[in-house]
Amino acid sequence: MERRTVGSGALRAGAVGLGCMPMSWAYTRSQRSGVESERTVRTALDHGVTLFDTADMYGPFTNELLLARALGARRAEALLATKCGLLASDGHLVANGRPDYVRRACDASLRRLRTDVIDLYQLQRADPEVPVEETWGAMAELVAAGKVRALGLCAHDARAVREATVRGDVARGGAASRGATSREGGVTVRTARGVLAAPREAPYAPTVRVLERVQQVFPVSAVQAELSVWSPEALRVLLPWCVARGVGFLAARPLGSGYLTGTLTPGQGFEPDDVRARHPRFTAEMMAANQPVVAGLRRVAARHGATVAQVALAWVLAADPRVVALPGTKRAAFAAENAAASALRLDARDLREIAALPRARESWDVWG
């Protein structure tokens, strides 16, 4: 598999990585299998995948344990990327950026991952009550101590904050439902009846402001953000920022949480514990409305003898040589299929055809 540089060159990763979250978090619990998940990790390794992305909150904690078991004696073949800064508490996601917590969280992740060093340690969410420079400074100390090789930041644009608010997963215990004010990346967003009125600015502009601040403390090696055919917002501001500074870009949800695989059908429904059951783009109406996107990818795939998912991943990889795609899966067959996408090269005709596809729709479009 093609290798790509993440950050200043200390990390070299396969162009396609593996997002491990679906193995123990966010998606339907009844479809999880520890045995199959471990086989998925090993299959990914066999097909050239090197970057494995997890987080302490996935499970919580069990995803790191699973990944460690799966890698076993093959730890040296992998780049381990995990995260801190976000805790699951009473049905809400609570940010914690206190330096003492960061240090404890890192030590705990090292134990669960059965490793002496984390290759990429990422801040999953900035804490609105702690200056991000303090959090990042504590993470930089972990690099100096030899516990971490490089640092990364997970990005959140206004839409992601709005989605979290609708779900009630707001930092500090769901203040949005009380019409309170929260801060995300230095931008104040006011809420009423659980719906966020997002500021009208370029997507990921708040994240760029945070990146500018932490970059003054210690170099950012990678930024992780959603990037896919139906969510291309990172191309406007965030990816150019990374490219200009030699920062790696980890494309999260490059398959649109499964929709861009072409295997989901409108109205199929999701079990209550699956996050897609509450996601605006996965209502029956919106899934039907976005079928032209999948149909367009399927036409391109037919010309290449590829799958819809492989074309979606190839489009992400074509954005820039610094992009590493992180499709999530818990099935070995899909891991192998995704890895093969690194060899697919889309030509100018393919890219023009994909660019001409209708803009993906979602039930919150009216909010801008």
Side-chain angles (χ1 to χ4, degrees):
M1 183 186 292
E2 174 196 356
R3 293 291 186 265
R4 295 191 166 190
T5 300
V6 178
S8 61
L11 303 180
R12 293 278 292 172
V16 176
L18 178 62
C20 298
M21 182 186 73
M23 301 174 184
S24 53
W25 183 256
Y27 296 104
T28 304
R29 184 182 301 273
S30 65
Q31 297 179 5
R32 299 175 195 163
S33 166
V35 172
E36 176 63 12
S37 292
E38 291 181 32
R39 190 162 75 93
T40 299
V41 170
R42 292 189 287 269
T43 297
L45 281 172
D46 293 341
H47 286 79
V49 171
T50 60
L51 183 60
F52 294 83
D53 184 72
T54 182
D56 57 4
M57 69 160 284
Y58 298 161
F61 311 125
T62 55
N63 199 249
E64 290 179 327
L65 293 168
L66 185 155
L67 182 55
R69 289 195 305 271
L71 290 174
R74 302 181 68 178
R75 162 66 180 99
E77 300 176 43
L79 292 174
L80 289 179
T82 192
K83 311 177 190 75
C84 69
L86 198 59
L87 308 175
S89 175
D90 298 328
H92 299 288
L93 301 182
V94 181
N96 190 337
R98 297 183 180 89
D100 58 343
Y101 156 75
V102 169
R103 299 183 191 102
R104 293 196 308 272
C106 179
D107 288 341
S109 288
L110 287 167
R111 288 192 298 271
R112 287 189 293 268
L113 290 167
R114 302 178 191 172
T115 187
D116 296 326
V117 63
I118 295 167
D119 297 297
L120 179 66
Y121 203 39
Q122 302 163 95
L123 179 60
Q124 195 163 8
R125 186 72 60 86
D127 187 337
E129 296 184 3
V130 178
V132 70
E133 291 85 354
E134 293 184 14
T135 306
W136 200 254
M139 295 174 70
E141 292 173 5
L142 299 172
V143 178
K147 297 180 178 182
V148 170
R149 293 178 62 193
L151 301 183
L153 183 79
C154 294
H156 295 275
D157 69 353
R159 189 183 69 186
V161 181
R162 180 169 59 220
E163 177 189 350
T165 304
V166 172
R167 291 199 313 265
D169 297 338
V170 180
R172 302 308 172 197
S177 62
R178 299 188 297 274
T181 298
S182 61
R183 285 189 176 272
E184 189 74 20
V187 177
T188 301
V189 286
R190 299 185 182 280
T191 61
R193 298 181 183 176
V195 177
L196 195 71
R200 292 185 177 275
E201 59 178 356
Y204 295 111
T207 293
V208 168
R209 288 194 287 272
V210 172
L211 286 166
E212 295 286 1
R213 291 167 61 186
V214 300
Q215 190 80 322
Q216 302 302 312
V217 178
F218 190 87
V220 179
S221 288
V223 173
Q224 182 170 161
E226 183 173 6
L227 177 61
S228 70
V229 170
W230 78 342
S231 292
E233 294 85 2
L235 297 178
R236 291 177 55 188
V237 174
L238 190 57
L239 180 57
W241 187 94
C242 293
V243 171
R245 292 158 180 80
V247 173
F249 186 95
L250 306 184
R253 295 189 290 281
L255 297 177
S257 299
Y259 188 78
L260 298 179
T261 65
T263 61
L264 302 181
T265 57
Q268 71 174 63
F270 298 94
E271 294 184 24
D273 62 336
D274 191 315
V275 294
R276 291 172 294 186
R278 303 182 299 279
H279 194 296
R281 275 195 178 165
F282 286 94
T283 64
E285 177 188 5
M286 288 300 105
M287 288 179 71
N290 286 320
Q291 281 295 301
V293 178
V294 175
L297 295 177
R298 186 170 282 116
R299 289 191 294 271
V300 175
R303 292 200 296 268
H304 289 274
T307 67
V308 177
Q310 288 170 338
V311 171
L313 290 172
W315 180 88
V316 168
L317 294 177
D320 190 84
R322 292 189 178 275
V323 174
V324 172
L326 287 177
T329 186
K330 52 186 176 292
R331 297 182 182 176
F334 292 157
E337 175 185 330
N338 294 341
S342 66
L344 177 58
R345 297 292 181 267
L346 301 180
D347 59 27
R349 175 192 175 188
D350 300 326
L351 295 174
R352 285 195 303 271
E353 193 167 319
I354 294 172
L357 292 175
R359 178 178 178 267
R361 291 182 56 200
E362 56 195 329
S363 57
W364 54 42
D365 279 349
V366 294
W367 297 333

